[in-house]
């Protein structure tokens, strides 16, 4: 009896509504949880991500600018360090060599030599285990390369030097280098060696990368002008010292070098969160309306025995609030766990340390708002209407609702169905039922349509990413590219390459980098300027497939002609076809006439110039620094092994090979990097599909409950269980197909927008848009399957009811 | 909380009733329904006076306005015109919300289909009106509900849910519930319509006992035999009172 003193009967009723109908409670809690989960996951991964990235990032004291050059001596670093506004400057040496680990496979490895491991100040490499610093003849591996290579501490690695000799080094420890992209994503392996070891690998005791940190006092927020200034001064110093600079990379202060990709992922996460919340809310409005619809009679009874409207309002709002709290309890920990998984994934991708699981108070507060306030807002309308019903209306609710005055939608449906007279009657009933509750239908359709739209759009983004990649790689038609550490006579290179069986075609190109000046004035030389990369193929090259936007491609008589790509144009908007351009290469000022503009895709700023002219202009007439070739075979594996045998052959002929690039391997690598973002997109699409399916299942479940009496009537006039089940399955299918069609139409603009955003953030370039019909097909199959699955349980429930059950049902 | 935020919503103070009033007084009550087929006049000017302590049976054929008539008394439905005074309160002037609170304290309603809340136990169903109208002390309510259940003879079923009771037992629970707030007036719409004759008689007997205790009872029935147990019989035909007689009436 004391029980009743603690909890009065009306709250017992609320309790029994929650506890007594577990399936319904589950459905409501699920629909709220989806939104809470998504919001919590997105927000806490955002926070955890920021926190962890920052810690790793600051600890590494990242460079503001890095210059990549020909080898230079350590003394040069000393003179740069004395430049104004430079806080720290450090040099290191990167060499890309072939190595062989435990298995017999040859791979490329980036070997980094740092003069002083103990006194590092920029892009700090941290010691994790084993020896420190690396001893003579030792190599320390970056942590992400250890597993990818499958080697243990104490194992030996064989390194093939640029002269073709084989040396053995011992793995003695593991380090962490936050500035490198992990092996699993970059496809590169990283080893850290001492300068002594570098010499033993047939390399000079010199550096080829300069990392700079600018005095924080002269930095203005995110402005990179000062950094570029300081970088350019260092560039000059290096070139005065005889080291040709090939590239300068400027990082925005405080921004990770992959900030664009990070922003793209965060954007996608945010879109996911908002959409899931939105769909969860639709679902909730439907479910709460349905609960109220089921309880009309009970509301009437309570009113008849003296309950006022605010008492009943309070009961139902408390019910919804209780669902919300329950959802919070379910979804908050799950959201935190998912956030940890997401952060872990991103940390592996961007090489930072993922910190521990955390559930910050502001995330919990946001989740609580989403879990309790959003459902209450969603429920307010239905509850207000439901409690406003008069006792007479409530008690007259027989469970078979009368057909209301027909609107234009009904007329259209009737007209449509009239033309389909041959359909069996139960199917007609399903179709008509579909349109009976227009509000509910609209919300269910909206939920499923949004899910479908995003799903199909995501597939299009994926296709667009791939077609952009294909287009970019279609630009260059060579299978293998080899870069040399020095320039060699072109005829010697060509001859050596053609001696290797399997080479179909070979071309020597000039490759050199420079700075594009704003104009020809002397003062411009010291002003801000942009990096460009000059590629000088033979004019009649068959390995470039340029997409000309304006002007023309290079012609045989061209002297100082230049074709620029759109990336160059973006950095230097003053350039026009027919006018001149000035590029500083080394200490030479080259004057070009721009003759054409071509599309640039994923290639950076490139200026194409005729080989003969450029080689002469940089005093390397008849010589080249790179060779590209087309293989006899189409097979990818054979192309790789061809690349390897050419490399060996060239080294035997004393040509110092700097780098070998196999086009298809490059393609595979970029594709796998693209897959990161498409995997993310797919997870997002699947989550939304789950919400959509939940919505449909909820709607069908409610429809069955609401039509229990109708089912009884059908049974009484001889409908079999199968007939009744079919009515609901066909109805769900109808909803599924409608949403598929609507989603398909909406998916086109959404996909265009999403591709553009992902392209701009991820690649700094819009993607080549391509609509995915595969996605449309998959969603058709999926939405059909979801519809059938979502309706099976309710249909089975409906078919199980006996006539007596349903006619006495209330 | 709602009371503070939306005072107009929670405002359910019922105007004070006139003292020494008759139990029910209907003056020229008309009720018109708008249906798809046009207007339907359910009540065509009803005048009715019921004294305290009367046991009044309303009889008549289906569709002649019996239920509409007593829905006017309980405030479940509103008259199109005319006045409805119940225990000194002008029901036709109250808002929907005021009616609910007023009804909870003044009128006990018994339905043909019992209308118990399926998810609550029998005793909880009986306690529910006390809870809503906040009458009696919280600690007192279970005992009072138990007393009422014993009074109607189903005390031993107190902790079961309605679905496990027979029809007659459920109707007894419904009657106990209608008595929960000790209202002066009991209104029953076909209370025996779903019961077998023996149980029906027992229910009527219960009503008689209640009138002897001072309650006024209005009962709609189409069973003339049962109607004869009432102290007064009003026959409704086509929206008008066709006959109004005391004692045993032959039809």
């Amino acid at each position: 009896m004391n029980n009743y003193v603690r909890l009065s009967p009306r709250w017992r009723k609320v309790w029994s509504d929650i506890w007594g109908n577990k399936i319904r409670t589950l459905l409501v809690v699920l629909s709220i949880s989806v939104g809470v989960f998504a919001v919590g996951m997105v927000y806490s991964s955002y926070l955890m991500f920021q926190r962890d990235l920052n810690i790793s990032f600051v600890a590494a004291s990242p460079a503001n600018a890095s210059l990549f050059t020909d080898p230079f001596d350590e003394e040069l670093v000393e003179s740069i360090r004395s430049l104004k506004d430079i806080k720290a400057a450090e040099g290191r040496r990167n060499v890309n060599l072939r190595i062989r680990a435990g298995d017999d496979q040859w791979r490329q490895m980036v070997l980094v030599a740092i003069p002083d491991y103990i006194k590092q100040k920029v892009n700090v490499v941290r010691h994790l285990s084993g020896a420190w610093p690396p001893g003579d003849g030792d190599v320390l591996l970056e942590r992400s390369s250890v597993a990818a290579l499958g080697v243990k501490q104490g194992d030996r690695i064989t390194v093939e030097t640029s002269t073709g000799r084989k040396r053995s080094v011992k793995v003695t420890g593991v380090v962490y280098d936050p500035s490198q992209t992990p092996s699993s994503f970059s496809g590169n392996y990283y080893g850290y060696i001492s300068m002594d070891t570098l010499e033993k690998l047939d390399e000079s005791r010199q550096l080829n990368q300069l990392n700079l940190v600018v005095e924080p006092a002269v930095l203005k927020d995110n402005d990179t002008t000062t950094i570029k200034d300081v970088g350019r001064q260092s560039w000059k110093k290096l070139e005065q010292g005889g080291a040709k600079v090939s590239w300068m990379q400027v990082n925005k202060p405080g921004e990770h070098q992959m900030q664009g990709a990070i922003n793209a992922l965060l954007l996608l996460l945010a879109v996911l969160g908002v959409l899931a919340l939105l769909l969860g809310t639709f679902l909730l409005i439907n479910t709460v309306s349905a609960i109220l619809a089921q309880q009309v009679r009970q509301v009437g009874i309570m009113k008849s025995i003296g309950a006022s409207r605010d008492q009943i309002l309070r009961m139902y709002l408390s019910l919804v609030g209780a669902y919300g709290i329950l959802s919070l309890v379910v979804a908050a920990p799950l959201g935190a766990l998912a956030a940890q998984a997401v952060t872990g994934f991103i940390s592996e991708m961007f090489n930072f340390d993922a910190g521990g699981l955390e559930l910050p108070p502001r995330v919990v507060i946001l989740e609580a708002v989403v879990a309790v306030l959003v459902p209450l807002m969603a429920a307010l309308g239905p509850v207000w209407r439901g409690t406003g019903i008069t006792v007479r209306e409530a008690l007259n609710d027989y469970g078979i609702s009368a057909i209301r005055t027909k609107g234009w939608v009904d007329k259209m449906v009737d007209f449509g169905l009239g033309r389909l007279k041959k359909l069996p009657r139960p199917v007609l009933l399903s179709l008509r039922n579909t349109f009976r509750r227009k509000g509910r239908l609209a919300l269910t359709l909206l939920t499923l349509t949004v899910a479908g739209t995003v799903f199909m759009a995501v597939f299009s983004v994926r296709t667009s990413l791939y077609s952009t990649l294909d287009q970019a790689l279609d630009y260059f038609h060579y299978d293998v590219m080899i870069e040399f550490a020095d320039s060699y006579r072109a005829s010697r290179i060509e001859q050596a390459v053609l001696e290797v069986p399997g080479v179909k075609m070979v071309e020597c190109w000039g490759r050199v980098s420079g700075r594009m000046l704003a104009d020809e004035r002397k003062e411009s030389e010291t002003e801000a300027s942009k990096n460009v990369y000059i590629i000088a193929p033979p004019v009649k090259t068959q390995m470039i497939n340029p997409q000309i936007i304006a002007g023309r491609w290079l012609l045989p008589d061209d002297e100082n002609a230049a074709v620029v790509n759109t990336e160059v144009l973006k950095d230097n908007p003053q350039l026009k076809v027919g006018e001149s351009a000035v590029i500083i290469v080394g200490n030479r000022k080259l004057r070009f006439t721009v003759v054409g503009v071509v599309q640039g895709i994923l290639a950076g700023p490139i200026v194409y110039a005729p080989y003969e002219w450029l080689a002469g202009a940089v005093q390397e007439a008849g010589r080249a620094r790179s060779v590209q070739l087309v293989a006899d075979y189409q097979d990818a594996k054979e192309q790789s092994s061809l690349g390897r045998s050419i490399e060996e052959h060239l080294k035997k002929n004393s040509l110092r090979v700097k780098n070998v690039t196999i086009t298809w391997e490059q393609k595979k690598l970029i594709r796998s990097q693209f897959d990161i973002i498409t995997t993310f997109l797919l997870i997002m699409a699947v989550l939304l599909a789950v919400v959509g399916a939940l919505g449909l299942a909820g709607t069908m479940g409610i429809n069955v409950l609401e039509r229990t009496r109708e089912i009884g009537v059908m049974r009484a006039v001889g409908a079999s269980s199968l007939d009744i089940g079919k009515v609901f399955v066909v109805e769900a299918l109808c909803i599924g197909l409608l949403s598929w069609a609507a989603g398909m139409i909406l998916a086109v603009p959404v996909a265009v927008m999403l591709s553009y955003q992902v392209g701009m953030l991820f690649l700094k370039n819009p993607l080549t848009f391509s609509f995915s019909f595969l996605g449309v097909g998959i969603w058709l199959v999926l939405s059909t399957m979801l519809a059938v699955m979502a309706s099976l349980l309710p249909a089975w429930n409906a078919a199980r009811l006996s006539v007596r059950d349903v006619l006495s049902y209330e | 909380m709602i009371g503070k935020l939306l005072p107009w919503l929670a405002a359910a103070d019922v105007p004070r009733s006139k003292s020494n009033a008759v139990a029910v007084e209907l003056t020229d009550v008309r009720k018109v329904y708008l249906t798809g087929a046009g207007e339907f006049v359910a009540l065509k000017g009803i005048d009715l006076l019921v004294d305290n302590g009367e046991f009044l049976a309303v009889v008549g054929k289906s569709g002649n306005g019996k239920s509409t008539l007593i829905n006017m008394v309980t405030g479940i439905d509103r008259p199109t015109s005319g006045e409805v005074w119940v225990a000194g309160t002008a029901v036709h002037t109250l808002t929907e919300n005021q009616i609910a609170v007023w009804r909870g304290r003044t009128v006990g309603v018994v339905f043909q289909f019992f209308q118990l809340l399926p998810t609550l136990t029998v005793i909880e169903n009986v306690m529910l009106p006390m809870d809503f109208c906040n009458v009696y002390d919280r600690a007192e309510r279970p005992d009072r509900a138990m007393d009422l259940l014993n009074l109607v003879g189903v005390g031993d079923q107190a902790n079961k849910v309605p679905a496990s009771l027979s029809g007659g037992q459920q109707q007894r629970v419904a009657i106990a519930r209608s008595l929960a707030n000790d209202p002066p007036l009991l209104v029953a719409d076909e209370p025996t319509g779903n019961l077998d004759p023996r149980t029906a008689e027992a229910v009527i007997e219960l009503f008689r006992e209640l009138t002897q205790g001072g309650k006024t009872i209005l009962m709609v029935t189409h069973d003339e035999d049962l109607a004869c147990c009432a102290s007064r019989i009003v026959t409704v035909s086509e929206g008008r009172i066709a006959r109004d007689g005391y004692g045993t009436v032959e039809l």
Side-chain angles (χ1 to χ4, degrees), chain A residues 1 4-13 16-17 297-298 301-311 313-315 317 384 389-392 395 810, chain B residues 2 8-10 33 71 76-77 96-97 100-101 103-104 109 111 115-121 123-124 127-129 131-133 138-139 142 146 159 177:
Chain A
M1 283 290 165
Y4 301 121
V5 180
R6 259 187 280 118
L7 196 63
S8 59
R10 63 178 131 143
W11 297 118
R12 285 197 77 82
K13 173 180 156 30
S16 64
D17 278 339
R297 191 180 286 259
Q298 298 200 17
I301 296 170
M302 288 189 285
K303 281 195 157 186
S304 79
I305 59 171
S308 63
R309 188 176 188 175
D310 75 293
Q311 285 175 325
L313 264 178
R314 250 180 269 175
M315 285 172 71
L317 291 181
W384 180 255
I389 192 168
T390 68
V391 178
R392 193 179 64 84
L395 298 182
E810 54 177 359
Chain B
I2 289 181
W8 53 271
L9 179 64
Y33 288 114
N71 281 350
I76 284 175
D77 209 349
E96 187 70 27
N97 216 18
V101 178
R103 187 194 302 118
V109 189
F111 301 97
Q115 311 287 22
L116 299 171
L117 290 190
T119 51
L120 293 183
T121 61
I123 192 166
E124 285 165 351
M127 283 161 63
L128 197 56
D131 185 15
F132 280 131
C133 297
R138 271 182 91 112
M146 205 58 216
N159 291 313
R177 182 181 65 183

Side-chain angles (χ1 to χ4, degrees), chain A residues 141-156:
Chain A
L141 294 182
E142 214 286 325
R143 61 177 186 184
S144 67
S145 304
V146 178
L149 274 174
V151 293
K152 299 187 301 292
Q153 217 160 292
D155 285 358
R156 297 198 81 89

